[in-house]
Amino acid sequence: MDASENVTSNPRIAAGAATIGDVIDAQLSRRAMVGGLGALAVAGCAAGPDAAAPRAASATPAAFDFPELARGLDETHHVAAGYRADVLIRWGDPLFADSPAFNPMAQTAEAQRRQFGYNNDFIGYVPLPKGDADERGLLCINHEYSSTLLMFPGVAGSYPASMTEAACRTEMAAHGGSVVEVARRGQDWSVVVGSKYNRRVTADTTPMTIAGPAAGHPRMRTSADPAGMTVSGMMNNCAGGVTPWGTWLSAEENINGNFLGDLPAGHPEAANHKRMGLPGSWYQWGRFDDRYNIGKEPNEPNRFGWIVEIDPLNPDAKPKKRTALGRFKHEGAESVVAPDGRVVIYMGDDQRFDYVYKFVTKGRYDPKNRAANRDLLDEGTLFVARFDADGTVQWLPLVHGFGPLTPANGFASQADVVIEARRAGDLLGATPMDRPEDVEPDPRTGRVWVMLTNNSRRKDDQIDAANPRAKNNHGHIIEIREPDGDFAATTSRWEILVRCGDPSKPEVGASWNPATSANGWLGSPDNGALDAQGRLWVATDGNDATGAADGLWAMQTDGPGRATGRHFFRVPLGAELCGPRFTPGGDTLFVAVQHPGDGEDDKPASFENPSTRWPDFRPDMPPRPSVMAIRRQDGGPIGG
Ligand code: FEO
Ligand code: CA
Ligand code: CA
């Protein structure tokens, strides 16, 4: 989702300020950079846990081998020949034995809390403790946001006056996430309705613990929670990750949109809220519930914008907001184990001119004792990235007392640093990026793939080596190489893998391997996934700016074919593709089709008049965001 959030709130950009790298450089203890970009060698790093330590990158993954799909745009989805793509679960489908049947004409919050939510985004896959990991597992799915005009009958013509409290509370119930047990028989996946693992997490009724440095801080306290330790719900959960110990990390992104109202004059949170784009006033919730009105509850937004950790194997476990990982518009949170056993989580802040982060735990991952990893994410160091023109990434610590992160600048403690991670990054001179979305580490090679979706507002005098195009409408992908596969390193190397967009148009400035076909290039990379062989796949949000549907592309990253794309799957009108996730063996790919039936700014869609009625194609049924399972017709590995 981006249409309403395409401005920057970074004051350095607004003011045209330069970075302040000199001050920071003087304080950093620089680590020696090992080798050049071509010199990565991770063989022999034996200190880490066997299962997750980087392996030698000697074996180039197999080339992709599937018949390429043609670019296009129509009312339904398409997958490469020889594959099947089946709808697994749709908005409104039952999760529990007592889930009411979906009735789009009479929606209620109570029903929605027992049904699959709206706008599926991230998909995690967690195998069950016993059984075949490729035949049975838990999907952990984010429901990022509600498309109000597409969801509710009779609202579009008179919005926002037509929004009732009941509809707003239904939206809150449609946000959040779902844990869904799924099972495969032969080629067919199905939902295990009534599984003991099935769970709905909502924006308003799921109690969560606030953990880490901001827990209990006065800025986290509200009327409903005077201790600042518990919050009900999570919202705008975009992408995420699965930890090595099998928990689900869910990333709260555009939380500003759910709040309205005005802060009292001179309120101390004014600058903080402005930096987060608060209040966005996209939703009407604040008309009916003071919690979403910043004039009534000025601290409530500080309780959102975090990474939430949820244990899908224990439906009774209270989710925890891990404040050590910082507060911003979180896109994803994919993790990897460094050679010394510390866990590293890569994160993007998806807004124009915002930053790339990583978090390094203080403690080490224990692969033999799951419970020992339970609170690993509460202690560690949060870093923000500065991409230098010489190909270095400098990871700058967001640590209270470091550089300008002092009381003189409004940071009285680490709680202030994490609550205002963006402003801390501004002061440290992090590199403002072209909307960082997924950041995917590859434990096999020590490489990290950074999806930068686009930034049409970057001006000629704002380009830099890592964001080299003004008016970057189609985004790019950066490769980071961690030295010796050490994901915890504070100095890394970077280069651009591809500049996206149509390579046949010189004015676009795209860069692709010449072997890329007319269908193989893409625009606006958003989510990435690595398959069982470590090959990169890229899902898009905004490829329609190139005249064709969003979808999924295979991306070659090694050998002479490096930077060749190949089109595999595309979504119906109005939709973007999210959440690509492979089963461990790589023979099933789950994808999330988000906001099918949506319209354009100049041609808005509605419940009554969507751009498609995918996937049901029934006149009495609105389009439904859905998760699909993709298999090769002969059951072989996806992608060949
Ligand atoms: Fe929710 Fe950054 O896309
Ligand atoms: Ca998106
Ligand atoms: Ca996204």
Side-chain angles (χ1 to χ4, degrees):
M1 176 192 193
D2 63 29
S4 310
E5 191 50 10
N6 269 347
V7 294
T8 180
S9 65
N10 187 333
R12 295 165 61 204
I13 299 305
T19 62
I20 55 160
D22 294 351
V23 180
I24 304 307
D25 281 347
Q27 292 196 33
L28 286 168
S29 60
R30 282 178 172 272
R31 296 175 60 140
M33 188 187 66
V34 181
L37 280 183
L40 182 83
V42 293
C45 52
D50 292 341
R55 297 203 301 264
S58 55
T60 300
F64 294 106
D65 181 16
F66 61 85
E68 185 161 38
L69 180 69
R71 284 164 58 82
L73 182 62
D74 60 33
E75 291 193 357
T76 194
H77 66 275
H78 298 267
V79 68
Y83 289 81
R84 51 185 280 179
D86 301 313
V87 172
L88 176 62
I89 188 166
R90 305 161 295 185
W91 166 47
D93 279 346
L95 297 186
F96 308 99
D98 65 354
S99 297
F102 181 56
N103 181 353
M105 301 304 291
Q107 299 175 52
T108 66
E110 291 70 28
Q112 180 65 89
R113 280 196 276 274
R114 308 298 284 168
Q115 299 163 335
F116 193 62
Y118 205 85
N119 272 347
N120 32 225
D121 195 302
F122 174 80
I123 301 173
Y125 182 86
V126 176
L128 290 170
K130 291 183 182 154
D132 185 331
D134 290 284
E135 287 187 352
R136 212 170 181 90
L138 304 179
L139 294 183
C140 306
I141 297 162
N142 288 350
H143 300 298
E144 186 187 5
Y145 68 103
S146 47
S147 301
T148 309
L149 304 189
L150 277 176
M151 279 180 74
F152 299 105
V155 167
S158 47
Y159 184 85
S162 50
M163 276 305 277
T164 62
E165 177 172 358
C168 286
R169 298 214 179 270
T170 303
E171 288 191 290
M172 296 171 204
H175 277 235
S178 294
V179 177
V180 185
E181 184 179 344
V182 292
R184 179 170 65 81
R185 279 192 156 195
Q187 289 282 63
D188 298 319
W189 283 94
S190 58
V191 168
V192 182
V193 175
S195 159
K196 67 177 181 181
Y197 297 107
N198 288 0
R199 179 173 193 178
R200 266 310 313 280
V201 175
T202 70
D204 59 338
T205 54
T206 308
M208 303 193 173
T209 298
I210 299 170
H217 191 275
R219 297 177 72 180
M220 302 292 280
R221 297 174 191 164
T222 62
S223 311
D225 175 28
M229 294 297 291
T230 307
V231 58
S232 282
M234 64 181 195
M235 53 201 187
N236 303 86
N237 297 74
C238 193
V242 175
T243 63
W245 52 97
T247 56
W248 165 27
L249 299 182
S250 188
E252 294 183 312
E253 192 192 27
N254 295 308
I255 60 102
N256 56 315
N258 300 332
F259 294 89
L260 47 71
D262 296 300
L263 279 181
H267 195 278
E269 294 294 345
N272 171 33
H273 286 355
K274 188 175 178 201
R275 187 68 178 85
M276 283 291 280
L278 284 151
S281 306
W282 307 345
Y283 293 102
Q284 299 299 301
W285 305 358
R287 280 170 44 203
F288 307 105
D289 190 331
D290 288 351
R291 181 187 185 198
Y292 304 101
N293 182 333
I294 63 169
K296 305 268 180 59
E297 291 290 347
N299 284 349
E300 191 71 49
N302 289 344
R303 295 142 63 80
F304 296 90
W306 303 103
I307 295 293
V308 184
E309 184 175 16
I310 301 170
D311 186 354
L313 293 170
N314 181 359
D316 299 322
K318 212 168 160 182
K320 293 182 179 173
K321 297 204 174 185
R322 299 294 187 185
T323 66
L325 279 66
R327 174 173 169 267
F328 43 91
K329 293 186 182 175
H330 278 283
E331 173 74 20
E334 292 289 0
S335 54
V336 67
V337 181
D340 68 0
R342 288 181 291 167
V343 179
V344 182
I345 299 178
Y346 289 88
M347 302 175 285
D349 182 348
D350 180 11
Q351 187 154 6
R352 285 173 171 156
F353 301 107
D354 260 290
Y355 307 136
V356 171
Y357 297 79
K358 73 176 174 185
F359 178 79
V360 182
T361 59
K362 181 174 177 214
R364 289 163 197 226
Y365 168 57
D366 184 345
K368 298 196 177 71
N369 181 0
R370 187 171 191 253
N373 306 307
R374 191 172 49 214
D375 291 318
L376 259 188
L377 301 186
D378 281 345
E379 275 192 278
T381 306
L382 179 65
F383 297 91
V384 66
R386 193 186 73 207
F387 292 80
D388 291 341
D390 65 358
T392 304
V393 186
Q394 194 69 55
W395 296 98
L396 310 164
L398 294 171
V399 172
H400 180 245
F402 176 77
L405 307 184
T406 59
N409 288 313
F411 297 101
S413 66
Q414 187 63 17
D416 288 328
V417 173
V418 295
I419 290 169
E420 295 189 78
R422 283 181 157 189
R423 191 167 70 83
D426 299 343
L427 291 174
L428 290 178
T431 302
M433 308 298 287
D434 288 343
R435 292 187 55 200
E437 300 247 27
D438 263 5
V439 186
E440 295 279 332
D442 180 358
R444 298 164 186 79
T445 64
R447 297 187 293 190
V448 183
W449 306 105
V450 184
M451 313 295 153
L452 298 155
T453 201
N454 55 50
N455 182 354
S456 60
R457 303 280 173 85
R458 190 177 289 274
K459 300 193 179 89
D460 286 326
D461 62 356
Q462 293 171 321
I463 61 173
D464 56 42
N467 302 276
R469 282 188 288 182
K471 203 169 188 325
N472 179 8
N473 287 323
H474 308 297
H476 54 291
I477 300 175
I478 284 180
E479 170 181 340
I480 295 174
R481 290 196 178 228
E482 299 290 23
D484 287 336
D486 181 5
F487 293 96
T490 54
T491 304
S492 317
R493 299 288 291 166
W494 70 269
E495 69 175 47
I496 289 177
L497 174 68
V498 286
R499 289 186 285 174
C500 302
D502 186 347
S504 73
K505 295 182 175 161
E507 68 275 19
V508 171
S511 62
W512 292 89
N513 189 307
T516 303
S517 79
N519 299 306
W521 57 269
L522 60 87
S524 298
D526 185 337
N527 300 123
L530 295 167
D531 66 18
Q533 301 176 58
R535 299 176 301 186
L536 181 64
W537 297 71
V538 179
T540 65
D541 174 12
N543 189 60
D544 55 337
T546 72
D550 278 310
L552 190 68
W553 279 258
M555 181 73 70
Q556 217 167 319
T557 56
D558 294 278
R562 178 174 158 90
T564 305
R566 187 186 283 236
H567 197 12
F568 180 74
F569 177 82
R570 64 178 156 91
V571 294
L573 272 164
E576 67 173 275
L577 189 71
C578 302
R581 177 68 60 174
F582 293 87
T583 51
D587 57 12
T588 298
L589 167 62
F590 296 104
V591 295
V593 177
Q594 195 190 63
H595 56 80
D598 213 349
E600 308 289 337
D601 286 347
D602 56 348
K603 214 167 57 175
S606 64
F607 182 96
E608 290 78 13
N609 191 21
S611 60
T612 176
R613 290 190 184 274
W614 185 92
D616 302 289
F617 295 107
R618 278 172 37 185
D620 60 344
M621 188 60 74
R624 294 208 268 176
S626 302
V627 168
M628 306 186 78
I630 297 176
R631 300 264 302 164
R632 213 165 93 178
Q633 281 168 355
D634 66 4
I638 303 283

